[in-house]
Amino acid sequence: MVRLAAIARRFYLDGRSKVEIAEEFGLSRFKVARDLEAARASGIVRIDIRLPARLDGDLSERMSAAFGLRRTIVVEASEDFLETRRALGSVVARLLSEIVRPGEVLGLAWSRALQTMGADMVELPRCTVVQLNGVLSEHAEGGGSVETVRRAAALAGGPAYPIYAPLILPDAATAATLRADPGIASAFAHYDRLTTAVVAIGGWDERNSTVFQALDADSRARYTELGVCAEMSAQLFDAEGRQVHSDLDERVISVRAEQLREVPEVVAVAGAGDEAKARAVGAALRSGLVSTLVTDSAVARLLLDEEPPG
């Protein structure tokens, strides 16, 4: 038992190889492997796998299985929705430092959670950073998406392609004129080269969508009649995940859904919401555009309760 404990300590705590341990104890490496198995079987070694308290591994796995996602990260929801939003942003910041590779083209949209992400970023490999949509002036505190893109590019040591233009324009002609601006056109030219895109999922009401808030009453009613229940970067979707086309398509400065569909990794962030927000997240996931979801436990449980088995 003492020998088993000593071998286990060398292997699990000191990080020594089985060959090194075998030489020290005068054993074969196969005997060392059997002793390590015996140490686990006898209870000398107990392996405890834990996530940080705010992450829910079970819900994360169930969401990935239910919606066919590459990965899901579920953050435990707080009673303070602002705290939940901050936690979502921090998780995305950490995730990008792990999954973005040197030389990639990283696209960043905007939301309140993603603004927190920008503030919490501490590390990125060298890559190009592109803004995925224009700005909403009433939600541009702290520099908004432009500042997030510039901060990410500074951390990465690569070029930045911000967009100094509104997200929603009054008509298609004005939007077309702005898209032709050299600076905006440079950003748009990178959309077909995106390797990772980070987007936010919005619902379709005053509380859950900054796009909804920016529209006039007639436009809101018109798009609602078309069945809209979710938006990502001002791309509209119905409850089944089908894109809803309208005049808004030509009035926005934004990456398009068909471009997102070609991106190898689309990370969607959504949480700190209600049942309407959960329905919006479900619609966005059914669109097939999302490969990774970062959300909170309240949204995940609502979705899993309503999602049929299989």
Side-chain angles (χ1 to χ4, degrees), residues 169-172 219 222-223 226 245-252:
L169 282 302
D171 54 67
S219 296
R222 189 165 71 256
Y223 303 146
L226 292 173
H245 292 287
S246 69
D247 63 303
L248 188 65
D249 293 349
E250 302 305 322
R251 292 172 49 205
V252 295

Side-chain angles (χ1 to χ4, degrees), residues 81 203-208 271-281 296 298-300 302-303:
F81 78 94
W204 196 244
D205 56 46
E206 191 79 34
R207 181 175 187 267
N208 293 304
D274 49 20
E275 290 186 13
K277 187 59 168 281
R279 287 194 296 272
V281 174
D296 65 52
V299 168
L302 285 169
L303 285 171

Side-chain angles (χ1 to χ4, degrees), residues 235-283:
Q235 308 295 290
L236 309 181
F237 300 89
D238 68 13
E240 300 303 317
R242 296 180 294 249
Q243 187 174 6
V244 177
H245 292 287
S246 69
D247 63 303
L248 188 65
D249 293 349
E250 302 305 322
R251 292 172 49 205
V252 295
I253 304 296
S254 177
V255 66
R256 296 190 181 278
E258 56 266 28
Q259 292 171 311
L260 287 175
R261 198 172 296 282
E262 300 302 318
V263 180
E265 181 73 78
V266 176
V267 180
V269 185
D274 49 20
E275 290 186 13
K277 187 59 168 281
R279 287 194 296 272
V281 174

Side-chain angles (χ1 to χ4, degrees), residues 121-133:
M121 281 184 175
V122 294
E123 182 181 7
L124 276 177
R126 183 173 179 80
C127 62
T128 298
V129 185
V130 185
Q131 191 169 322
L132 293 182
N133 41 251

Side-chain angles (χ1 to χ4, degrees), residues 29-173:
R29 61 187 178 89
F30 300 105
K31 175 60 176 171
V32 170
R34 287 196 295 271
D35 280 356
L36 289 171
E37 291 177 5
R40 290 196 299 271
S42 64
I44 292 175
V45 172
R46 283 185 279 180
I47 299 174
D48 190 11
I49 300 173
R50 298 182 182 180
L51 281 171
R54 290 299 303 272
L55 301 184
D56 192 315
D58 177 61
L59 281 178
S60 298
E61 291 190 20
R62 289 171 59 197
M63 281 291 294
S64 292
F67 290 94
L69 298 168
R70 180 175 298 147
R71 69 174 69 81
T72 305
I73 303 175
V74 176
V75 176
E76 187 62 40
S78 168
E79 292 184 3
D80 181 351
F81 78 94
L82 292 177
E83 174 58 30
T84 300
R85 183 186 294 163
R86 286 191 289 269
L88 292 173
S90 295
V91 165
V92 179
R94 174 67 182 270
L95 175 65
L96 291 182
S97 70
E98 296 178 1
I99 67 174
V100 175
R101 297 289 179 260
E104 289 197 8
V105 179
L106 170 64
L108 300 177
W110 181 88
S111 73
R112 296 179 182 93
L114 294 183
Q115 191 158 323
T116 300
M117 172 204 72
D120 283 359
M121 281 184 175
V122 294
E123 182 181 7
L124 276 177
R126 183 173 179 80
C127 62
T128 298
V129 185
V130 185
Q131 191 169 322
L132 293 182
N133 41 251
V135 300
L136 290 165
S137 58
E138 62 268 37
H139 298 287
E141 63 270 19
S145 49
V146 171
E147 178 59 31
T148 299
V149 167
R150 289 201 170 281
R151 172 169 169 73
L155 285 172
Y161 291 89
I163 294 178
Y164 296 96
L167 173 61
I168 303 173
L169 282 302
D171 54 67

